[in-house]
Amino acid sequence: DGPVVTIGEILVEIMATTLGDGFLEPQSLIGPFPSGAPAIFIDQVGKLGAPAAIVSAVGDDDFGTLNLDRLRKDGVDVSAVAVLPGAATGSAFVRYRADGSRAFVFNMRDSAAGKIAATAEAKAVLAGAAHLHVMGSGLPIPAVHGMIFATIPDLKARGGTVSFDPNVRRETLRDAEGRAAFDRVLAVTDLFLPSGEELAMFAEGAGEEDAVAHLLAAGVREIVLKRGAAGASHFDRDGRTDMPGFAVEEIDPTGAGDSFGATFLVARRAGLPVERALRYANAAGARTVTIKGPMEGTSTFAELDAFIAGAIVRSP
Ligand code: ADP
């Protein structure tokens, strides 16, 4: 079987060690940590032992090498990650406020991630994919957009599947072109992985049940709604399954949705029933939020089994 493949940004995250409102005075920092939503997702796929590959670009700097080393170590094929001479790997500085919200400084403009291109290596990896995971954040990048829509017809023709994490801001959906790109992906999506907030954005005022019914009627086979600490809900033509989350202390929420989605996908591809896949996915999300650093909390099946054995389920 071919790999699960995703396309998108790789960067590093550098975190302030104290709570506060931004970076207006010198901070004590921890990092760099490997990051980027598509990178976290594919790292989790690799850790679970499933074939995994990412199409991306990094600079020829330590931040790029740090990411490539981590992804390789966790079993991800990085042959389609271009190392661009003279380009810089992007970075995000993050500081948590006392209320749990985050202040960011992004150094992404002109970074390597914006220069992802349809190289020969990228085309080769995409031609062999068994599954494509689309991140909404990549759709506005023309080369990424182009590769996604160039890949999907052949992928579907050979029996491959598509998952879609919208990862979107309201402004993007208000823009006609942005909305059209999202609708075009949704029309070919097998597994849709929105947060509750994102589903509401897509539904444009329709209630959750109506929005779900509409998507299922339009051909989406499975929808998994991510509900943060409350867990997740799964919908398909057979009905609805709610799965409460695990009770943990949240230290760093970055990456939870990505490791959740990757785990649900791999569990289902391995033939596990919905309930077990949801439980594993909730465990992956919960482990991620207890560990500092976006990719530091990705998990093997052995780690998830150990976590579930010792964990407490939050009462609904
Ligand atoms: P996203 O990161 O995409 O916004 P969520 O915040 O809903 O998505 O997190 C994804 C999943 O991670 C949740 O469905 C849940 O399984 C798990 N999760 C997230 N936050 C917590 C938390 N505080 N406690 C336990 N599990 C959590």
Side-chain angles (χ1 to χ4, degrees), residues 165 195 198 225-229 231-232 245-248 250 253 255-258 260 281-283 285-286 289 314:
D165 182 336
S195 64
E198 285 164 340
L225 208 52
K226 294 171 278 181
R227 300 188 191 277
F246 291 99
V248 293
E250 183 172 304
D258 302 309
F260 174 99
N282 275 342
V289 306
R314 200 177 287 275

